[in-house]
Amino acid sequence: MHPDAPFEKNPTQDRPATRPDDPASTERAIGRHRAPERQRRVGRTLLTSTPVRVALATGVTCCLGVAAFAGTRDDADAAREPVAEALAERAVDDDRASRSLDRAASPSPTLSPAPTPKPTPSATRKAPRKPAPPPRPRPVAGLTQAQMDNAKTIVDVGVELKMPRRALVVAVATAMQESRLHNLASDVLPESSRYPHQGSGADHDSVGLFQQRPSSGWGTVRELMRPSYAARAFYEALRDVPGWQQMSVAGAAQAVQVSAFPDAYAQHEKLATTVVAALT
C-alpha cells in the first residue's frame, strides 16, 4: 500500500476468523465475569439446602426486628418529649410557688370545715375576782366615818368570838370612854407612831382603841395598834371575869380596864347600844 494512500481498516481482514487456542483467551472466557456451569450448579444447591434457608430466614427476621425496634424507640422518644416538657414546666411553676411569700392555700372543695373545739371547763373558767371590800357602815348617833369604822371592827370581832350582844355594848362603851373610838398612838412610845393611827395620847404607855399598855402584858406595841387585835384582847379579858353577865355595863368595863374613873363608862351605854344595833 502506498504510504500516501488513505488509511482504511477492514475489520474482517484484521480479525481472524477463528479464535486461537490460546490459554489466556480461554481463561478470560471463564473468568470472574462468567461463572462456569459447575459453579452455577453448586450455587443453586446451596440456596436450596435447609440450613442455608434457615440462616437466611433468621437474618431477615433479625433485620426486620431491628428496624421495628428502631421505629418503636423513635416513637417512644417522640411520645416522651411532650411529657418531659410538661414536667419541666411544672417543676418551674412549683419552684416559683415555693419561693413566693404571697401565696395562700385554697381550701379543698371536698373537705368539710373542721368542727370548732368545745371550750374545756378550765378554759371557760374565769379568774377569781378579788372579793369586794364590805361596804362601810353608815355613821349613826353623831359619829364620824372613822369612828363608825372602828366600832364596826369591835362588833365584828365580838360576833366572830360568839360573844353575846351585851358584851358588844360593853366593848363599844369602853372604847368610847378610852379613845373616843380613835386608834391612838402614844407620845411616850415613839414606836407607836410608825403604825397607822388617828391621833396620839399621853397617858403613860397606853395605845390603841382601848388604851391598853404593853408594859401590863396586853401585847406588843405593833399588836395593840391593830384595832382587831385590841378588840380581841378586850373580849378575852372580859370572858375571864366571873359573872360579868350580871354586872352593869360600867361594872363589866371597869373589871377589865381597872380605870381610875370607874363610873365614866356608864355615860356611853345608851350610845353604844344604838351603834351596836345599827351594826348587827
Side-chain angles (χ1 to χ4, degrees), residues 86-109:
L87 291 177
E89 292 179 358
R90 182 176 179 182
V92 172
D93 293 339
D94 292 344
D95 188 44
R96 187 185 305 114
S98 65
R99 290 193 298 269
S100 176
L101 299 178
D102 299 331
R103 68 184 187 277
S106 58
S108 176

Side-chain angles (χ1 to χ4, degrees), residues 254-265:
Q254 176 61 18
V256 175
Q257 296 294 105
V258 190
S259 171
F261 306 96
D263 298 331
Y265 301 106

Side-chain angles (χ1 to χ4, degrees), residues 134-158:
R136 301 179 70 180
R138 186 175 179 179
V140 296
L143 300 180
T144 65
Q145 186 64 59
Q147 290 174 314
M148 196 69 180
D149 291 342
N150 290 330
K152 185 178 186 305
T153 300
I154 295 171
V155 171
D156 290 345
V157 172

Side-chain angles (χ1 to χ4, degrees), residues 151-168:
K152 185 178 186 305
T153 300
I154 295 171
V155 171
D156 290 345
V157 172
V159 171
E160 181 183 350
L161 294 175
K162 301 184 183 316
M163 300 295 289
R165 178 183 289 268
R166 186 173 180 79
L168 307 181

Side-chain angles (χ1 to χ4, degrees), residues 48-210:
T48 56
S49 64
T50 300
V52 173
R53 293 174 64 184
V54 171
L56 289 175
T58 304
V60 172
T61 303
C62 293
C63 292
L64 293 176
V66 170
F69 174 76
T72 304
R73 183 174 180 182
D74 292 339
D75 295 339
D77 292 339
R80 280 199 298 268
E81 287 180 359
V83 176
E85 293 178 0
L87 291 177
E89 292 179 358
R90 182 176 179 182
V92 172
D93 293 339
D94 292 344
D95 188 44
R96 187 185 305 114
S98 65
R99 290 193 298 269
S100 176
L101 299 178
D102 299 331
R103 68 184 187 277
S106 58
S108 176
T110 59
L111 298 178
S112 59
T116 303
K118 295 182 179 180
T120 58
S122 60
T124 57
R125 188 181 303 162
K126 296 181 180 179
R129 295 181 178 180
K130 294 182 179 180
R136 301 179 70 180
R138 186 175 179 179
V140 296
L143 300 180
T144 65
Q145 186 64 59
Q147 290 174 314
M148 196 69 180
D149 291 342
N150 290 330
K152 185 178 186 305
T153 300
I154 295 171
V155 171
D156 290 345
V157 172
V159 171
E160 181 183 350
L161 294 175
K162 301 184 183 316
M163 300 295 289
R165 178 183 289 268
R166 186 173 180 79
L168 307 181
V169 173
V170 172
V172 172
T174 302
M176 286 179 175
Q177 173 61 32
E178 297 291 348
S179 64
R180 297 291 187 261
L181 284 174
H182 290 103
N183 189 29
L184 300 178
S186 174
D187 297 336
V188 178
L189 297 173
E191 178 189 354
S192 61
S193 300
R194 296 201 297 264
Y195 307 113
H197 58 280
Q198 298 165 326
S200 61
D203 185 9
H204 301 90
D205 58 346
S206 301
V207 295
L209 288 175
F210 294 90

